[in-house]
Amino acid sequence: MKITINQELHELLSEFSVIAYTMDVENNKTEVVQQLLENLDVPFSINEVTSNWKIKETRDGYKKLKKDPSHTRCAVEALVRRVIKHRSNEASLYTLGDLIDLGNILSVEVLRSVCVVDLEKINNDIEIRIGKENEVVNAINRSDINAENLIVYVDESGIFGSPTSDTLRTSVTEETKKILVMIICFSKKDLKEDEQKLITYYTKYANARNLKKIS
């Protein structure tokens, strides 16, 4: 498997990159990970979300692609807002099993959208490109998202995700034993630190093994 960033996307967002790993994992729902999720916090208020530099770079990337980041909100911004509201008892955090919960925890830690999918549902190589007219993202737990001008992840079977939402086709289930984890980066800052956090979380809490970096 390889991941290719489309030239058109690279020309518009020269700093865009992806940290990607495949791995074998244990698929559980443990109190330890649920507690990590419950204790998530961010060091700024809801009024400061869009001024955080990592979230701002993602929003700026959407704007360069002519996608309104307030209308089609990136997953990390939506998650961070929910965490802040959770800390003030205005919202709850859903626990979806360790593999997805760890992706959400990682996303809040690195302040970048994180994609976690069932590796065995990915059909051959992946291209990350700009969505075309009339394409949609069949988003999980929400209506279809207009993919035009949105960054999308595509395999031979079609779109399986975006920085706004992953899709049902490649979603993690109770049967999942192998996963692909991608951190979506709109700049090349903090890449090593964020990569190490990915490795640490999944090795420590999901007994990840046979880790393979994909590029």
Side-chain angles (χ1 to χ4, degrees):
M1 174 186 284
K2 66 178 180 179
I3 297 175
T4 302
I5 298 174
N6 180 274
Q7 183 64 26
E8 180 187 12
L9 173 57
H10 182 72
E11 288 175 358
L12 281 172
L13 301 174
S14 61
E15 288 282 294
F16 183 87
S17 61
V18 179
I19 301 167
Y21 277 84
T22 61
M23 61 193 79
D24 299 330
V25 288
E26 289 183 2
N27 188 349
N28 298 309
K29 190 173 184 177
T30 62
E31 290 185 9
V32 172
V33 173
Q34 290 180 54
Q35 196 60 50
L36 286 175
L37 185 67
E38 181 66 24
N39 291 338
L40 272 179
D41 202 359
V42 290
F44 45 82
S45 71
I46 201 156
N47 294 326
E48 299 170 314
V49 171
T50 57
S51 60
N52 172 270
W53 73 266
K54 276 187 173 178
I55 293 177
K56 185 178 183 300
E57 72 182 11
T58 301
R59 289 175 62 89
D60 289 346
Y62 273 45
K63 290 175 183 177
K64 286 183 180 180
L65 295 166
K66 299 180 180 179
K67 204 72 175 178
D68 182 352
S70 296
H71 180 266
T72 306
R73 187 167 279 162
C74 63
V76 61
E77 181 182 341
L79 181 58
V80 165
R81 288 177 179 276
R82 193 164 191 87
V83 168
I84 293 171
K85 290 181 179 180
H86 175 65
R87 300 313 296 170
S88 59
N89 297 315
E90 296 177 36
S92 58
L93 293 176
Y94 303 112
T95 178
L96 302 168
D98 288 0
L99 301 181
I100 297 299
D101 290 350
L102 286 169
N104 287 336
I105 293 164
L106 177 64
S107 183
V108 173
E109 287 285 331
V110 303
L111 292 172
R112 286 171 160 149
S113 290
V114 173
C115 171
V116 182
V117 296
D118 188 320
L119 178 62
E120 295 180 302
K121 296 176 183 176
I122 298 292
N123 189 359
N124 293 323
D125 293 335
I126 296 167
E127 180 184 28
I128 299 179
R129 60 168 173 80
I130 302 171
K132 302 172 184 177
E133 185 179 2
N134 297 323
E135 286 188 318
V136 297
V137 177
N138 301 125
I140 299 175
N141 296 326
R142 57 185 292 179
S143 58
D144 289 349
I145 299 169
N146 175 10
E148 185 176 7
N149 296 327
L150 182 67
I151 293 172
V152 291
Y153 325 137
V154 185
D155 65 4
E156 285 189 4
S157 298
I159 294 172
F160 68 89
S162 74
T164 290
S165 177
D166 296 332
T167 67
L168 187 61
R169 173 169 68 87
T170 55
S171 62
V172 170
T173 67
E174 293 180 356
E175 288 73 40
T176 300
K177 299 299 180 185
K178 300 175 184 290
I179 59 173
L180 165 69
V181 183
M182 299 191 295
I183 301 178
I184 309 303
C185 308
F186 284 78
S187 77
K188 298 185 183 299
K189 298 176 183 177
D190 291 352
L191 295 187
K192 289 184 179 180
E193 295 87 341
D194 292 355
E195 180 177 352
Q196 187 55 54
K197 286 181 180 179
L198 185 162
I199 294 168
T200 298
Y201 272 118
Y202 279 94
T203 301
K204 183 174 182 178
Y205 297 108
N207 193 27
R209 53 213 180 275
N210 300 323
L211 278 76
K212 183 178 180 182
K213 187 172 183 177
I214 307 298
S215 59

